[in-house]
Amino acid sequence: MEDDEDCPPLAVELPAQTTSPPVTAPSSASAPVGVTVITGYLGAGKSTLVNYILSAQHGKRIAVILNEFGEEIGVERAMINEGQGGALVEEWVELANGCVCCTVKHSLVQALEQLVQSKERMDHILLETTGLADPAPLVSILWLDDQLESSIRLDSIITVIDAKNFRQQIDEHTNSSSFPEAFHQIAFADVVILNKIDLVKDDLEDLEKQIHDVNALVTVVRSVRCQVDLNTIFDRQAYGTKNSSQLQELLEYSKSVPPNSRHDNSISTLCISEQDPVHLAKVESWLEDLLWEKKSTMDIYRCKGILHIHNSNQLHTLQAVREVYEVVPAREWSEMQSRMNKIVFIGRNLDISVLQDSFGRCKH
């Protein structure tokens, strides 16, 4: 039996509490709470995944936020405070296993602030998107928002895919210039859960290859009814500097992906590399030209990389989602390690010669 995405998650079927969590000042010594964004095409199994996590015996206090922002509502609208008369945050629903659930209709920032300031501190927050083509508008709130950056950290973006219908979605758009939500969600994902594999008779390796053709950096996890090892969900720190070694492995893998290995010659993953050190200020200017000025026909969704910076013994990591980017020192280069720059781009109409030539100018 296939998942019914029209049914609300188990969490919101439970009786609601009439009181909100008490608000206290968070401890400055507390580590930021990780936030995982869960997205996916209608019917893929997002709610099934949330219910599985909420019912599992993991010993964590987890908060689930059901985000009802529509596609037409951007970051600016999400951060509007409607004043004292506005119902900013819905009632929280307390669950038996120590988790809570809330449906947010107005201010996502306010909901997150309530969670991190609550007396019973959360271990992790899940944000399930509804009616959102891609999670990119949420990234500037969750990743680098001044109000939240000391309280939360964007842990990862997880996309749930219906393995049974994914091939049909690919076939329908092979010769089209339009792209279904599923492909955007893959492009922004850190983890793809390939769900309903019990309903697929075809070669699953081929399905995974098509996913990696869109996003060579993504981790693919197979599942039936989204029953996955929760270690694939929690504490991935995809936007932190903790796992720079894993990032290097991903970059090395994606470098081996041929430039023409892509979905309908438009959405693809490309990798560029440069051995000579680059100037940090020139790299930032280069990124701003690519991501902000958009002087070319390239549409860059994401990029990740490691940088060899002039006059620095620190390995720097680069992360970007749409117009938001960050370059930070991660750790010292090891003596056994070859110092070089490696950057992976995920997007549409990528031109490897333009990317290589323009980045090369950051050396001088």
Side-chain angles (χ1 to χ4, degrees):
M1 181 175 175
E2 295 190 28
D3 301 326
D4 185 1
E5 284 286 341
D6 292 328
C7 293
L10 178 64
V12 295
E13 293 177 356
L14 300 178
Q17 300 289 319
T18 56
T19 57
S20 298
V23 177
T24 59
S27 170
S28 59
S30 299
V33 178
V35 179
T36 297
V37 176
I38 298 178
T39 187
Y41 221 50
L42 186 66
K46 298 190 303 294
S47 295
T48 302
L49 176 61
V50 169
N51 285 331
Y52 173 70
I53 294 170
L54 288 178
S55 61
Q57 298 303 311
H58 41 62
K60 294 179 179 288
R61 283 184 54 81
I62 297 173
V64 175
I65 299 176
L66 306 180
N67 178 30
E68 293 192 349
F69 298 136
E71 291 181 8
E72 74 283 358
I73 301 177
V75 172
E76 296 82 3
R77 173 67 184 85
M79 298 178 69
I80 291 176
N81 188 318
E82 296 192 355
Q84 295 181 353
L88 292 174
V89 181
E90 299 298 293
E91 296 288 352
W92 292 98
V93 180
E94 192 81 28
L95 306 183
N97 64 348
C99 301
V100 296
C101 180
C102 171
T103 299
V104 175
K105 294 184 179 179
H106 299 289
S107 174
L108 177 60
V109 170
Q110 177 122 349
L112 291 167
E113 285 178 338
Q114 279 197 16
L115 278 174
V116 298
Q117 292 173 350
S118 64
K119 182 178 180 181
E120 296 293 333
R121 180 177 168 84
M122 293 294 125
D123 297 311
H124 205 86
I125 300 170
L126 302 178
L127 175 59
E128 180 187 346
T129 63
T130 57
L132 198 65
D134 64 59
L138 296 171
V139 170
S140 58
I141 297 177
L142 299 172
W143 185 14
L144 299 176
D145 184 80
D146 290 339
Q147 289 178 257
L148 297 169
E149 63 180 4
S150 62
S151 304
I152 70 164
R153 59 173 172 80
L154 178 58
D155 191 53
S156 67
I157 297 172
I158 295 178
T159 296
V160 184
I161 288 178
D162 180 348
K164 181 180 179 182
N165 295 314
F166 181 58
R167 190 180 301 280
Q168 180 181 350
Q169 293 170 1
I170 293 173
D171 293 342
E172 287 177 353
H173 292 268
T174 296
N175 298 311
S176 171
S177 60
S178 64
F179 300 90
E181 293 175 0
F183 287 109
H184 291 102
Q185 291 162 353
I186 292 169
F188 288 107
D190 302 294
V191 177
V192 162
I193 295 178
L194 191 59
N195 193 33
K196 307 182 186 180
I197 61 171
D198 54 320
L199 304 177
V200 177
K201 296 180 181 179
D202 295 332
D203 187 3
L204 288 173
E205 282 75 15
D206 185 55
L207 284 179
E208 291 190 10
K209 179 183 179 301
Q210 305 220 34
I211 292 169
H212 281 126
D213 284 349
V214 176
N215 181 347
L217 291 176
V218 78
T219 299
V220 179
V221 179
R222 300 179 186 182
S223 75
V224 175
R225 297 194 62 79
C226 286
Q227 296 187 19
V228 298
D229 181 349
L230 293 182
N231 289 322
T232 65
I233 304 294
F234 298 123
D235 199 31
R236 295 197 64 89
Q237 299 198 29
Y239 290 80
T241 59
K242 171 187 172 184
N243 44 7
S244 57
S245 297
Q246 182 190 18
L247 175 58
Q248 285 181 266
E249 292 175 9
L250 289 170
L251 294 172
E252 201 60 41
Y253 163 76
S254 62
K255 185 180 177 182
S256 66
V257 177
N260 61 353
S261 178
R262 59 184 69 182
H263 163 64
D264 72 11
N265 294 319
S266 193
I267 293 183
S268 61
T269 299
L270 291 180
C271 181
I272 64 172
S273 59
E274 172 64 54
Q275 193 158 10
D276 295 332
V278 292
H279 294 277
L280 180 57
K282 291 188 176 181
V283 170
E284 291 174 339
S285 178
W286 170 72
L287 285 169
E288 290 163 10
D289 282 344
L290 285 175
L291 304 176
W292 297 357
E293 301 299 329
K294 300 184 185 298
K295 296 178 180 179
S296 69
T297 59
M298 292 186 291
D299 188 5
I300 297 171
Y301 296 164
R302 291 195 68 172
C303 65
K304 281 189 173 188
I306 56 174
L307 299 174
H308 177 200
I309 300 297
H310 263 297
N311 301 320
S312 174
N313 289 323
Q314 295 281 314
L315 178 153
H316 285 61
T317 60
L318 158 66
Q319 294 257 23
V321 178
R322 289 294 192 186
E323 291 84 8
V324 182
Y325 77 87
E326 182 180 57
V327 179
V328 292
R331 58 173 173 80
E332 288 193 2
W333 290 94
S334 66
E335 294 182 2
M336 304 295 293
Q337 194 173 8
S338 175
R339 299 189 183 190
M340 64 185 307
N341 305 279
K342 297 178 185 176
I343 307 174
V344 170
F345 296 86
I346 302 167
R348 294 176 57 184
N349 303 317
L350 299 181
D351 189 322
I352 193 167
S353 61
V354 170
L355 292 170
Q356 285 177 327
D357 292 345
S358 58
F359 181 73
R361 291 194 284 273
C362 297
K363 297 184 297 182
H364 310 295

